Amino acid sequence: MAFAKLPKGTVDSLLKDIPKLKKILTYHVVSGKVLAADVVKLKSATTVEGSDVKIDASHGVKINNATVATPDIAADNGVIHVIDTVLIPA
């Protein structure tokens, strides 16, 4: 799990700082249903948090520094692409 890669105490710290936690979580979300076939055509995407993430599909698919481990998991409210690293907005 990506959160397990964070330095010890990071998750506990985030749980005490709800605005920062919300910013990080919404940085992982893009509006709309964007399937892997669409993602590989993009160079970037704007997140719900408001910042852009970089997309590189030259060798697998990377979102910023995270690798997409499992794409296109259907959910009731969209589609999930599992990544191996927590994305941290600037």
Side-chain angles (χ1 to χ4, degrees):
M1 184 161 149
F3 278 96
K5 289 183 173 182
L6 292 172
K8 185 175 178 151
T10 302
V11 173
D12 290 334
S13 174
L14 289 172
L15 290 172
K16 295 175 184 168
D17 187 348
I18 299 304
K20 187 173 184 178
L21 177 60
K22 181 179 177 182
K23 182 176 176 126
I24 290 171
L25 293 176
T26 56
Y27 188 61
H28 288 76
V29 179
V30 174
S31 290
K33 186 174 182 179
V34 186
L35 297 172
D38 303 314
V39 171
V40 298
K41 298 174 189 171
L42 302 173
K43 297 293 181 198
S44 67
T46 302
T47 69
V48 171
E49 180 268 338
S51 301
D52 288 349
V53 288
K54 180 182 157 196
I55 299 169
D56 180 357
S58 60
H59 301 293
V61 178
K62 292 187 79 71
I63 309 297
N64 289 352
N65 63 331
T67 300
V68 175
T70 307
D72 291 345
I73 298 172
D76 289 343
N77 61 348
V79 62
I80 298 168
H81 305 287
V82 177
I83 56 177
D84 67 351
T85 304
V86 176
L87 302 173
I88 305 294

